[in-house]
Amino acid sequence: MTELERRLEALASELAYPQADLRLRPRVRSLIVEQRQRRRRRRRGLLLALAFSAALLATVLAVPQARSALGRLLDVGAERVQVVKRVRPASQRLVPPGELVSLAAAQRRAGFRILLLRRASPPAAAYLAETESGALVTVVYQPRRPIWLSEFRAHGLAPVASKQTEQYSSVQLLSLNGRPAIWLGKAHLFSYLDSSGERLVAHLRLAAKTLVWQRPPLTLRLEGRLSQAQALRLARRVH
Amino acid sequence: MQDEVGSRWSDEAELVRRAQAGDETAFGMLIDRHQGIALRTATLMAGNASDAEDATQTAFAKAFFALGRFRPGAPFRPWLLRIVVNEARNQRRSGARRASLALRAFEAGRATDVSAPSAERTLLERERAHSLVDALNELPDRERDVLACRYLLGLTEQETATTLKLRLATVRSRRTRALKRRRTQLGADDD
């Protein structure tokens, strides 16, 4: 260590710092209570906005002339579906985003209880990716004809993952266990926000047919070569 | 000693685990444990006591809500300090200020209660500390922040990297560059 480094270390005790406030704990506590209330209000707003979006989308899909004139976004939980004129080209990825981990490791790092398909053979693999909202876990079933069950936690209003599709007819609004769900019947672009929440990461890929639904606090996606009826049947077995 | 460190570590891991499960008392204990370094970090990054206190409180509240994202087994302190640094920088930006370090008020007694040669020495040391603070304040923020974490807060290189969201190699190169710059400015007596 040089003399300059020693002097810098010695300087630490000479600097002016505020006194460590012994009342910090109650002040933080009141901030937490305040933020909880704000989040609750925001969540209520989100539910209202979701109901409104669902109604709006249903209208848009029903009236061809209105399609191009109205907004083209629908959020389900932390996932946003966007209908665009042209989907950016992307490679068909054969593996889910994130790193391959054991199911136990995914469970340790996810920060929520991972839901699984009941009455199914054990998962073949699990992948874990960091997103702005926390872990995005994808459990893979049937390696020969894969079905991906992806799960992530929804926080606040901002969508974490997004899908882009060109065809309105491929988007269907459904209901699953009394909550809105979306069926995407065509390949579409899938992307998500990284852990810094600052940008869309390069994990873009064309996804297969997908069902997106909510089971608060989680947003779930089921993806694979499935018919809508098959996807809905499987989704009801997720616990 | 190793046992003591190990026990403290596992104790902290347990507190974090409980806090993640929603135990506010455990989170309160984490606040008590880390409020000192959090406040010092915020002061160094925000540049004044009032912004630093606000930033520290807000950072702890944000940390509470972000606990779900904290990876079990990872060190808690640099993770927390990263949130503190972000919050302090936000405060600094919103006030359009540049952070500057300041020495604490001079304690006259330290110079007058002792013999004359010691008093002289104290004053000389004080003068040198002032020069060093001035020199640090002139550094670009990104280099100054690295020196502040490493030497003024006593963080390891790895903790500094996590706290400032930098790669380890970047921490090393910024530290070397900043020290070289200061050494040139402060003269030959530094080494």
Side-chain angles (χ1 to χ4, degrees):
Chain A
M1 185 181 273
T2 64
E3 174 61 21
L4 178 55
E5 287 173 296
R6 270 192 285 275
R7 281 177 58 194
L8 282 166
E9 280 191 351
L11 185 65
S13 60
E14 296 292 321
L15 291 173
Y17 293 116
Q19 289 290 316
D21 190 344
L22 295 174
R23 289 179 302 124
L24 194 59
R25 215 202 259 213
R27 281 153 69 181
V28 172
R29 160 107 186 108
S30 65
L31 270 181
I32 289 172
V33 170
E34 201 177 290
Q35 283 195 25
R36 260 199 195 125
Q37 287 167 346
R38 204 175 307 146
R39 278 164 185 242
R40 229 171 268 142
R41 280 197 297 271
R42 222 188 292 167
R43 205 170 298 136
R44 272 201 296 271
L46 174 65
L47 286 174
L48 279 173
L50 186 64
F52 178 75
S53 302
L56 180 65
L57 188 82
T59 310
V60 168
L61 295 180
V63 185
Q65 293 85 347
R67 286 176 184 167
S68 58
L70 286 173
R72 297 165 177 190
L73 294 174
L74 178 69
D75 293 351
V76 169
E79 183 130 349
R80 164 165 291 179
V81 175
Q82 189 175 13
V83 181
V84 293
K85 274 188 181 165
R86 191 179 178 82
V87 169
R88 272 194 286 166
S91 58
Q92 180 89 44
R93 278 178 61 113
L94 298 174
V95 292
E99 54 174 316
L100 178 63
V101 293
S102 68
L103 188 60
Q107 183 58 81
R108 270 199 308 278
R109 290 165 56 185
F112 55 82
R113 186 175 72 81
I114 296 174
L115 303 180
L116 298 171
L117 266 178
R118 277 187 313 172
R119 301 195 305 278
S121 48
Y127 289 80
L128 187 133
E130 298 296 332
T131 77
E132 194 268 347
S133 192
L136 163 63
V137 176
T138 305
V139 183
V140 181
Y141 291 90
Q142 299 179 187
R144 283 189 182 175
R145 201 180 175 197
I147 296 172
W148 296 359
L149 173 63
S150 303
E151 309 173 20
F152 46 106
R153 203 196 313 239
H155 283 296
L157 281 166
V160 172
S162 70
K163 293 179 178 305
Q164 287 189 351
T165 183
E166 291 172 0
Q167 290 169 284
Y168 293 102
S169 56
S170 68
V171 184
Q172 265 184 279
L173 191 69
L174 307 171
S175 170
L176 184 65
N177 302 328
R179 294 181 183 280
I182 294 178
W183 170 251
L184 288 121
K186 297 273 180 198
H188 52 276
L189 197 68
F190 175 77
S191 60
Y192 66 93
L193 291 174
D194 76 352
S195 52
S196 70
E198 285 167 1
R199 64 196 164 83
L200 282 169
V201 292
H203 295 285
L204 296 168
R205 64 179 174 77
L206 285 172
K209 294 176 180 179
T210 302
L211 179 70
V212 185
W213 77 103
Q214 271 186 290
R215 178 174 300 178
L218 300 182
T219 300
L220 296 111
R221 332 172 28 253
L222 197 62
E223 181 180 333
R225 286 186 194 167
L226 298 164
S227 68
Q228 189 188 107
Q230 285 172 322
L232 283 168
R233 267 200 304 276
L234 286 175
R236 289 193 185 99
R237 281 166 46 195
V238 172
H239 283 281
Chain B
M1 181 69 185
Q2 191 61 39
D3 283 352
E4 200 178 300
V5 173
S7 145
R8 183 186 161 86
W9 172 244
S10 61
D11 176 31
E12 177 148 296
E14 175 60 16
L15 284 179
V16 172
R17 196 193 59 72
R18 280 169 47 200
Q20 281 182 312
D23 182 341
E24 289 185 16
T25 309
F27 189 68
M29 289 164 80
L30 287 169
I31 294 177
D32 291 347
R33 187 174 281 192
H34 294 288
Q35 65 175 350
I37 194 162
L39 202 52
R40 288 199 298 281
T41 306
T43 308
L44 293 174
M45 300 296 157
N48 70 72
S50 150
D51 283 353
E53 282 174 17
D54 287 349
T56 307
Q57 285 172 50
T58 312
F60 271 117
K62 284 192 172 172
F64 179 79
F65 289 108
L67 276 171
R69 274 181 265 166
F70 177 75
R71 197 158 40 109
F76 180 73
R77 183 168 82 161
W79 178 83
L80 171 71
L81 293 184
R82 185 156 153 179
I83 300 174
V84 172
V85 165
N86 283 341
E87 206 47 49
R89 282 177 174 163
N90 287 344
Q91 294 274 353
R92 184 169 85 192
R93 276 187 215 115
S94 65
R97 285 183 289 271
R98 188 176 187 278
S100 61
L101 307 178
L103 291 178
R104 61 183 155 80
F106 185 58
E107 294 164 39
R110 287 170 71 192
T112 53
D113 290 351
V114 290
S115 61
S118 293
E120 252 176 52
R121 213 176 100 190
T122 305
L123 287 170
L124 188 65
E125 279 171 6
R126 184 80 183 164
E127 190 55 40
R128 281 165 64 98
H130 267 298
S131 309
L132 194 52
V133 165
D134 290 345
L136 281 173
N137 282 336
E138 282 169 25
L139 281 174
D141 284 347
R142 58 191 197 162
E143 288 177 13
R144 205 194 63 145
D145 290 350
V146 169
L147 292 191
C149 286
R150 284 288 286 120
Y151 301 107
L152 304 180
L153 297 171
L155 304 185
T156 64
E157 280 186 333
Q158 185 58 61
E159 285 179 318
T160 301
T162 308
T163 300
L164 298 177
K165 205 178 172 184
L166 296 172
R167 287 184 312 160
L168 203 55
T170 310
V171 168
R172 287 180 183 147
S173 64
R174 285 188 188 173
R175 181 184 65 94
T176 308
R177 207 176 314 132
L179 287 176
K180 195 173 169 190
R181 215 193 286 260
R182 286 312 92 199
R183 213 169 278 136
T184 312
Q185 195 178 67
L186 291 169
D189 62 324
D190 292 321
D191 278 318

PDB file of all heavy atoms in Angstrom, chain A residues 179-200:
ATOM      1  N   ARG A 179     -60.120 -15.052 -14.610  1.00  0.00           N
ATOM      2  CA  ARG A 179     -59.226 -13.927 -14.894  1.00  0.00           C
ATOM      3  C   ARG A 179     -58.951 -13.865 -16.394  1.00  0.00           C
ATOM      4  O   ARG A 179     -58.995 -14.901 -17.066  1.00  0.00           O
ATOM      5  CB  ARG A 179     -57.886 -14.096 -14.169  1.00  0.00           C
ATOM      6  CG  ARG A 179     -58.028 -14.014 -12.674  1.00  0.00           C
ATOM      7  CD  ARG A 179     -56.676 -14.170 -12.000  1.00  0.00           C
ATOM      8  NE  ARG A 179     -56.827 -14.171 -10.565  1.00  0.00           N
ATOM      9  CZ  ARG A 179     -56.972 -13.074  -9.832  1.00  0.00           C
ATOM     10  NH1 ARG A 179     -56.930 -11.898 -10.408  1.00  0.00           N
ATOM     11  NH2 ARG A 179     -57.116 -13.155  -8.535  1.00  0.00           N
ATOM     12  N   PRO A 180     -58.613 -12.639 -16.896  1.00  0.00           N
ATOM     13  CA  PRO A 180     -58.354 -12.537 -18.331  1.00  0.00           C
ATOM     14  C   PRO A 180     -57.103 -13.327 -18.719  1.00  0.00           C
ATOM     15  O   PRO A 180     -56.142 -13.391 -17.951  1.00  0.00           O
ATOM     16  CB  PRO A 180     -58.131 -11.045 -18.564  1.00  0.00           C
ATOM     17  CG  PRO A 180     -58.239 -10.376 -17.258  1.00  0.00           C
ATOM     18  CD  PRO A 180     -58.492 -11.370 -16.201  1.00  0.00           C
ATOM     19  N   ALA A 181     -57.164 -13.902 -19.897  1.00  0.00           N
ATOM     20  CA  ALA A 181     -56.009 -14.615 -20.437  1.00  0.00           C
ATOM     21  C   ALA A 181     -55.918 -14.286 -21.915  1.00  0.00           C
ATOM     22  O   ALA A 181     -56.892 -13.809 -22.505  1.00  0.00           O
ATOM     23  CB  ALA A 181     -56.174 -16.112 -20.231  1.00  0.00           C
ATOM     24  N   ILE A 182     -54.758 -14.501 -22.494  1.00  0.00           N
ATOM     25  CA  ILE A 182     -54.600 -14.206 -23.920  1.00  0.00           C
ATOM     26  C   ILE A 182     -54.054 -15.437 -24.622  1.00  0.00           C
ATOM     27  O   ILE A 182     -53.131 -16.089 -24.109  1.00  0.00           O
ATOM     28  CB  ILE A 182     -53.634 -13.019 -24.127  1.00  0.00           C
ATOM     29  CG1 ILE A 182     -54.236 -11.741 -23.566  1.00  0.00           C
ATOM     30  CG2 ILE A 182     -53.327 -12.816 -25.606  1.00  0.00           C
ATOM     31  CD1 ILE A 182     -53.324 -10.555 -23.686  1.00  0.00           C
ATOM     32  N   TRP A 183     -54.590 -15.721 -25.770  1.00  0.00           N
ATOM     33  CA  TRP A 183     -54.096 -16.817 -26.600  1.00  0.00           C
ATOM     34  C   TRP A 183     -53.459 -16.219 -27.851  1.00  0.00           C
ATOM     35  O   TRP A 183     -54.065 -15.401 -28.543  1.00  0.00           O
ATOM     36  CB  TRP A 183     -55.250 -17.744 -26.990  1.00  0.00           C
ATOM     37  CG  TRP A 183     -54.889 -18.754 -28.031  1.00  0.00           C
ATOM     38  CD1 TRP A 183     -55.291 -18.788 -29.327  1.00  0.00           C
ATOM     39  CD2 TRP A 183     -54.040 -19.901 -27.857  1.00  0.00           C
ATOM     40  NE1 TRP A 183     -54.763 -19.863 -29.964  1.00  0.00           N
ATOM     41  CE2 TRP A 183     -53.982 -20.568 -29.090  1.00  0.00           C
ATOM     42  CE3 TRP A 183     -53.321 -20.417 -26.767  1.00  0.00           C
ATOM     43  CZ2 TRP A 183     -53.230 -21.732 -29.274  1.00  0.00           C
ATOM     44  CZ3 TRP A 183     -52.584 -21.580 -26.948  1.00  0.00           C
ATOM     45  CH2 TRP A 183     -52.537 -22.230 -28.194  1.00  0.00           C
ATOM     46  N   LEU A 184     -52.222 -16.561 -28.112  1.00  0.00           N
ATOM     47  CA  LEU A 184     -51.546 -16.120 -29.325  1.00  0.00           C
ATOM     48  C   LEU A 184     -51.364 -17.341 -30.206  1.00  0.00           C
ATOM     49  O   LEU A 184     -50.575 -18.235 -29.887  1.00  0.00           O
ATOM     50  CB  LEU A 184     -50.197 -15.487 -28.990  1.00  0.00           C
ATOM     51  CG  LEU A 184     -50.336 -14.114 -28.329  1.00  0.00           C
ATOM     52  CD1 LEU A 184     -49.698 -14.110 -26.977  1.00  0.00           C
ATOM     53  CD2 LEU A 184     -49.735 -13.052 -29.206  1.00  0.00           C
ATOM     54  N   GLY A 185     -52.123 -17.364 -31.299  1.00  0.00           N
ATOM     55  CA  GLY A 185     -52.180 -18.570 -32.115  1.00  0.00           C
ATOM     56  C   GLY A 185     -51.121 -18.656 -33.193  1.00  0.00           C
ATOM     57  O   GLY A 185     -51.077 -19.631 -33.936  1.00  0.00           O
ATOM     58  N   LYS A 186     -50.266 -17.625 -33.307  1.00  0.00           N
ATOM     59  CA  LYS A 186     -49.222 -17.643 -34.338  1.00  0.00           C
ATOM     60  C   LYS A 186     -47.871 -17.371 -33.680  1.00  0.00           C
ATOM     61  O   LYS A 186     -47.811 -16.834 -32.578  1.00  0.00           O
ATOM     62  CB  LYS A 186     -49.477 -16.523 -35.368  1.00  0.00           C
ATOM     63  CG  LYS A 186     -50.752 -16.672 -36.139  1.00  0.00           C
ATOM     64  CD  LYS A 186     -50.539 -17.537 -37.370  1.00  0.00           C
ATOM     65  CE  LYS A 186     -51.860 -17.656 -38.137  1.00  0.00           C
ATOM     66  NZ  LYS A 186     -51.852 -18.768 -39.070  1.00  0.00           N
ATOM     67  N   ALA A 187     -46.824 -17.697 -34.410  1.00  0.00           N
ATOM     68  CA  ALA A 187     -45.484 -17.370 -33.900  1.00  0.00           C
ATOM     69  C   ALA A 187     -45.374 -15.856 -33.730  1.00  0.00           C
ATOM     70  O   ALA A 187     -45.916 -15.090 -34.518  1.00  0.00           O
ATOM     71  CB  ALA A 187     -44.428 -17.863 -34.872  1.00  0.00           C
ATOM     72  N   HIS A 188     -44.720 -15.434 -32.700  1.00  0.00           N
ATOM     73  CA  HIS A 188     -44.628 -14.007 -32.392  1.00  0.00           C
ATOM     74  C   HIS A 188     -43.285 -13.734 -31.740  1.00  0.00           C
ATOM     75  O   HIS A 188     -42.587 -14.647 -31.298  1.00  0.00           O
ATOM     76  CB  HIS A 188     -45.768 -13.601 -31.453  1.00  0.00           C
ATOM     77  CG  HIS A 188     -45.858 -14.468 -30.252  1.00  0.00           C
ATOM     78  ND1 HIS A 188     -46.528 -15.670 -30.282  1.00  0.00           N
ATOM     79  CD2 HIS A 188     -45.320 -14.351 -29.030  1.00  0.00           C
ATOM     80  CE1 HIS A 188     -46.410 -16.251 -29.108  1.00  0.00           C
ATOM     81  NE2 HIS A 188     -45.675 -15.482 -28.324  1.00  0.00           N
ATOM     82  N   LEU A 189     -42.957 -12.440 -31.650  1.00  0.00           N
ATOM     83  CA  LEU A 189     -41.665 -12.062 -31.090  1.00  0.00           C
ATOM     84  C   LEU A 189     -41.778 -11.938 -29.580  1.00  0.00           C
ATOM     85  O   LEU A 189     -42.688 -11.285 -29.073  1.00  0.00           O
ATOM     86  CB  LEU A 189     -41.246 -10.709 -31.674  1.00  0.00           C
ATOM     87  CG  LEU A 189     -39.777 -10.353 -31.515  1.00  0.00           C
ATOM     88  CD1 LEU A 189     -38.910 -11.265 -32.367  1.00  0.00           C
ATOM     89  CD2 LEU A 189     -39.559  -8.908 -31.936  1.00  0.00           C
ATOM     90  N   PHE A 190     -40.851 -12.545 -28.885  1.00  0.00           N
ATOM     91  CA  PHE A 190     -40.874 -12.475 -27.418  1.00  0.00           C
ATOM     92  C   PHE A 190     -39.605 -11.790 -26.928  1.00  0.00           C
ATOM     93  O   PHE A 190     -38.512 -12.072 -27.387  1.00  0.00           O
ATOM     94  CB  PHE A 190     -40.943 -13.893 -26.839  1.00  0.00           C
ATOM     95  CG  PHE A 190     -40.849 -13.931 -25.340  1.00  0.00           C
ATOM     96  CD1 PHE A 190     -41.941 -13.586 -24.564  1.00  0.00           C
ATOM     97  CD2 PHE A 190     -39.670 -14.286 -24.698  1.00  0.00           C
ATOM     98  CE1 PHE A 190     -41.859 -13.607 -23.184  1.00  0.00           C
ATOM     99  CE2 PHE A 190     -39.584 -14.311 -23.312  1.00  0.00           C
ATOM    100  CZ  PHE A 190     -40.684 -13.975 -22.572  1.00  0.00           C
ATOM    101  N   SER A 191     -39.767 -10.856 -25.968  1.00  0.00           N
ATOM    102  CA  SER A 191     -38.580 -10.203 -25.396  1.00  0.00           C
ATOM    103  C   SER A 191     -38.910  -9.824 -23.964  1.00  0.00           C
ATOM    104  O   SER A 191     -40.065  -9.859 -23.552  1.00  0.00           O
ATOM    105  CB  SER A 191     -38.231  -8.954 -26.198  1.00  0.00           C
ATOM    106  OG  SER A 191     -39.315  -8.060 -26.169  1.00  0.00           O
ATOM    107  N   TYR A 192     -37.898  -9.490 -23.192  1.00  0.00           N
ATOM    108  CA  TYR A 192     -38.174  -9.061 -21.815  1.00  0.00           C
ATOM    109  C   TYR A 192     -37.143  -8.051 -21.351  1.00  0.00           C
ATOM    110  O   TYR A 192     -36.075  -7.922 -21.941  1.00  0.00           O
ATOM    111  CB  TYR A 192     -38.230 -10.266 -20.880  1.00  0.00           C
ATOM    112  CG  TYR A 192     -36.928 -11.007 -20.702  1.00  0.00           C
ATOM    113  CD1 TYR A 192     -36.059 -10.690 -19.660  1.00  0.00           C
ATOM    114  CD2 TYR A 192     -36.571 -12.020 -21.566  1.00  0.00           C
ATOM    115  CE1 TYR A 192     -34.870 -11.370 -19.499  1.00  0.00           C
ATOM    116  CE2 TYR A 192     -35.389 -12.701 -21.411  1.00  0.00           C
ATOM    117  CZ  TYR A 192     -34.534 -12.378 -20.379  1.00  0.00           C
ATOM    118  OH  TYR A 192     -33.360 -13.037 -20.228  1.00  0.00           O
ATOM    119  N   LEU A 193     -37.489  -7.327 -20.281  1.00  0.00           N
ATOM    120  CA  LEU A 193     -36.571  -6.322 -19.733  1.00  0.00           C
ATOM    121  C   LEU A 193     -35.543  -7.011 -18.855  1.00  0.00           C
ATOM    122  O   LEU A 193     -35.884  -7.905 -18.102  1.00  0.00           O
ATOM    123  CB  LEU A 193     -37.343  -5.313 -18.881  1.00  0.00           C
ATOM    124  CG  LEU A 193     -38.273  -4.380 -19.638  1.00  0.00           C
ATOM    125  CD1 LEU A 193     -39.074  -3.563 -18.651  1.00  0.00           C
ATOM    126  CD2 LEU A 193     -37.498  -3.474 -20.554  1.00  0.00           C
ATOM    127  N   ASP A 194     -34.305  -6.550 -18.937  1.00  0.00           N
ATOM    128  CA  ASP A 194     -33.273  -7.196 -18.129  1.00  0.00           C
ATOM    129  C   ASP A 194     -33.348  -6.703 -16.686  1.00  0.00           C
ATOM    130  O   ASP A 194     -34.201  -5.896 -16.329  1.00  0.00           O
ATOM    131  CB  ASP A 194     -31.878  -6.986 -18.728  1.00  0.00           C
ATOM    132  CG  ASP A 194     -31.340  -5.594 -18.481  1.00  0.00           C
ATOM    133  OD1 ASP A 194     -32.106  -4.744 -17.981  1.00  0.00           O
ATOM    134  OD2 ASP A 194     -30.177  -5.352 -18.770  1.00  0.00           O
ATOM    135  N   SER A 195     -32.423  -7.187 -15.851  1.00  0.00           N
ATOM    136  CA  SER A 195     -32.537  -6.908 -14.418  1.00  0.00           C
ATOM    137  C   SER A 195     -32.374  -5.436 -14.082  1.00  0.00           C
ATOM    138  O   SER A 195     -32.785  -4.996 -13.019  1.00  0.00           O
ATOM    139  CB  SER A 195     -31.530  -7.743 -13.639  1.00  0.00           C
ATOM    140  OG  SER A 195     -30.253  -7.558 -14.180  1.00  0.00           O
ATOM    141  N   SER A 196     -31.742  -4.647 -14.961  1.00  0.00           N
ATOM    142  CA  SER A 196     -31.617  -3.221 -14.660  1.00  0.00           C
ATOM    143  C   SER A 196     -32.895  -2.482 -15.033  1.00  0.00           C
ATOM    144  O   SER A 196     -33.110  -1.356 -14.613  1.00  0.00           O
ATOM    145  CB  SER A 196     -30.437  -2.615 -15.430  1.00  0.00           C
ATOM    146  OG  SER A 196     -30.753  -2.565 -16.798  1.00  0.00           O
ATOM    147  N   GLY A 197     -33.752  -3.127 -15.818  1.00  0.00           N
ATOM    148  CA  GLY A 197     -35.021  -2.504 -16.214  1.00  0.00           C
ATOM    149  C   GLY A 197     -34.832  -1.394 -17.219  1.00  0.00           C
ATOM    150  O   GLY A 197     -35.756  -0.665 -17.536  1.00  0.00           O
ATOM    151  N   GLU A 198     -33.620  -1.272 -17.755  1.00  0.00           N
ATOM    152  CA  GLU A 198     -33.347  -0.112 -18.599  1.00  0.00           C
ATOM    153  C   GLU A 198     -33.557  -0.383 -20.085  1.00  0.00           C
ATOM    154  O   GLU A 198     -33.718   0.516 -20.862  1.00  0.00           O
ATOM    155  CB  GLU A 198     -31.908   0.358 -18.358  1.00  0.00           C
ATOM    156  CG  GLU A 198     -31.790   1.090 -17.040  1.00  0.00           C
ATOM    157  CD  GLU A 198     -30.361   1.300 -16.625  1.00  0.00           C
ATOM    158  OE1 GLU A 198     -29.451   0.892 -17.370  1.00  0.00           O
ATOM    159  OE2 GLU A 198     -30.156   1.863 -15.544  1.00  0.00           O
ATOM    160  N   ARG A 199     -33.479  -1.613 -20.493  1.00  0.00           N
ATOM    161  CA  ARG A 199     -33.556  -1.846 -21.932  1.00  0.00           C
ATOM    162  C   ARG A 199     -34.115  -3.236 -22.204  1.00  0.00           C
ATOM    163  O   ARG A 199     -34.105  -4.085 -21.336  1.00  0.00           O
ATOM    164  CB  ARG A 199     -32.171  -1.699 -22.553  1.00  0.00           C
ATOM    165  CG  ARG A 199     -31.222  -2.749 -22.039  1.00  0.00           C
ATOM    166  CD  ARG A 199     -29.782  -2.394 -22.330  1.00  0.00           C
ATOM    167  NE  ARG A 199     -28.912  -3.203 -21.519  1.00  0.00           N
ATOM    168  CZ  ARG A 199     -28.534  -4.433 -21.830  1.00  0.00           C
ATOM    169  NH1 ARG A 199     -28.928  -4.969 -22.957  1.00  0.00           N
ATOM    170  NH2 ARG A 199     -27.747  -5.128 -21.040  1.00  0.00           N
ATOM    171  N   LEU A 200     -34.538  -3.424 -23.419  1.00  0.00           N
ATOM    172  CA  LEU A 200     -34.942  -4.765 -23.823  1.00  0.00           C
ATOM    173  C   LEU A 200     -33.685  -5.543 -24.165  1.00  0.00           C
ATOM    174  O   LEU A 200     -32.895  -5.109 -24.985  1.00  0.00           O
ATOM    175  CB  LEU A 200     -35.837  -4.697 -25.058  1.00  0.00           C
ATOM    176  CG  LEU A 200     -37.278  -4.306 -24.802  1.00  0.00           C
ATOM    177  CD1 LEU A 200     -37.977  -4.006 -26.110  1.00  0.00           C
ATOM    178  CD2 LEU A 200     -38.018  -5.416 -24.076  1.00  0.00           C
TER     179      LEU A 200
END
